Amino acid sequence: MITLESIDFKSLIAKETNGRMRVRLMALSHIKDGANNTQTARNLHISRRIVNDWVKRFYEKVLMV
Protein backbone atom coordinates (compact mmCIF):
# COMPACT_ATOMS: atom_id res chain seq x y z
CA MET A 1 0.00 0.00 0.00
CA ILE A 2 1.25 3.47 -0.86
CA THR A 3 1.43 5.98 1.99
CA LEU A 4 2.75 9.51 2.30
CA GLU A 5 5.75 8.17 4.21
CA SER A 6 6.70 5.80 1.39
CA ILE A 7 6.97 8.54 -1.25
CA ASP A 8 10.12 10.62 -1.81
CA PHE A 9 8.45 13.93 -2.59
CA LYS A 10 11.69 15.92 -2.75
CA SER A 11 12.98 13.92 -5.73
CA LEU A 12 9.56 14.03 -7.43
CA ILE A 13 9.41 17.81 -6.99
CA ALA A 14 12.91 18.19 -8.45
CA LYS A 15 11.97 16.16 -11.55
CA GLU A 16 8.53 17.72 -12.13
CA THR A 17 8.32 20.34 -14.89
CA ASN A 18 4.63 21.22 -14.50
CA GLY A 19 4.33 24.10 -12.02
CA ARG A 20 0.87 23.18 -10.79
CA MET A 21 1.90 19.61 -10.10
CA ARG A 22 5.00 20.85 -8.25
CA VAL A 23 2.77 22.85 -5.89
CA ARG A 24 0.58 19.79 -5.29
CA LEU A 25 3.64 17.69 -4.53
CA MET A 26 4.98 20.39 -2.20
CA ALA A 27 1.65 20.44 -0.36
CA LEU A 28 1.74 16.68 0.15
CA SER A 29 5.37 16.95 1.24
CA HIS A 30 4.42 19.52 3.89
CA ILE A 31 1.63 17.23 5.13
CA LYS A 32 4.09 14.32 5.26
CA ASP A 33 6.49 16.44 7.32
CA GLY A 34 3.79 17.05 9.93
CA ALA A 35 2.15 20.31 8.87
CA ASN A 36 -1.62 20.45 8.95
CA ASN A 37 -3.70 21.60 5.99
CA THR A 38 -4.00 25.17 7.26
CA GLN A 39 -0.25 25.54 7.80
CA THR A 40 0.42 24.02 4.38
CA ALA A 41 -1.98 26.43 2.69
CA ARG A 42 -0.37 29.40 4.42
CA ASN A 43 3.16 28.29 3.51
CA LEU A 44 2.27 27.80 -0.15
CA HIS A 45 -0.05 30.84 -0.41
CA ILE A 46 -3.02 28.80 -1.56
CA SER A 47 -6.44 28.18 -0.03
CA ARG A 48 -6.97 25.54 2.63
CA ARG A 49 -9.86 24.14 0.61
CA ILE A 50 -7.52 23.35 -2.28
CA VAL A 51 -5.12 21.58 0.08
CA ASN A 52 -8.04 19.63 1.57
CA ASP A 53 -9.13 18.56 -1.93
CA TRP A 54 -5.61 17.46 -2.93
CA VAL A 55 -5.10 15.42 0.23
CA LYS A 56 -8.54 13.85 -0.12
CA ARG A 57 -7.85 12.91 -3.77
CA PHE A 58 -4.48 11.46 -2.84
CA TYR A 59 -6.02 9.17 -0.24
CA GLU A 60 -8.92 8.21 -2.53
CA LYS A 61 -6.48 7.11 -5.23
CA VAL A 62 -4.29 5.26 -2.73
CA LEU A 63 -7.27 3.32 -1.37
CA MET A 64 -8.39 2.40 -4.89
CA VAL A 65 -5.05 0.72 -5.67
Side-chain angles (χ1 to χ4, degrees), residues 11-26:
S11 67
L12 291 174
I13 292 166
K15 294 175 188 173
E16 184 59 53
T17 59
N18 182 313
R20 290 181 181 185
M21 182 55 76
R22 284 176 66 111
V23 173
R24 288 183 188 127
L25 292 170
M26 284 190 275

Side-chain angles (χ1 to χ4, degrees), residues 40-51:
T40 299
R42 261 191 225 129
N43 289 340
L44 297 176
H45 304 285
I46 55 178
S47 76
R48 184 177 49 87
R49 182 176 177 190
I50 291 172
V51 174

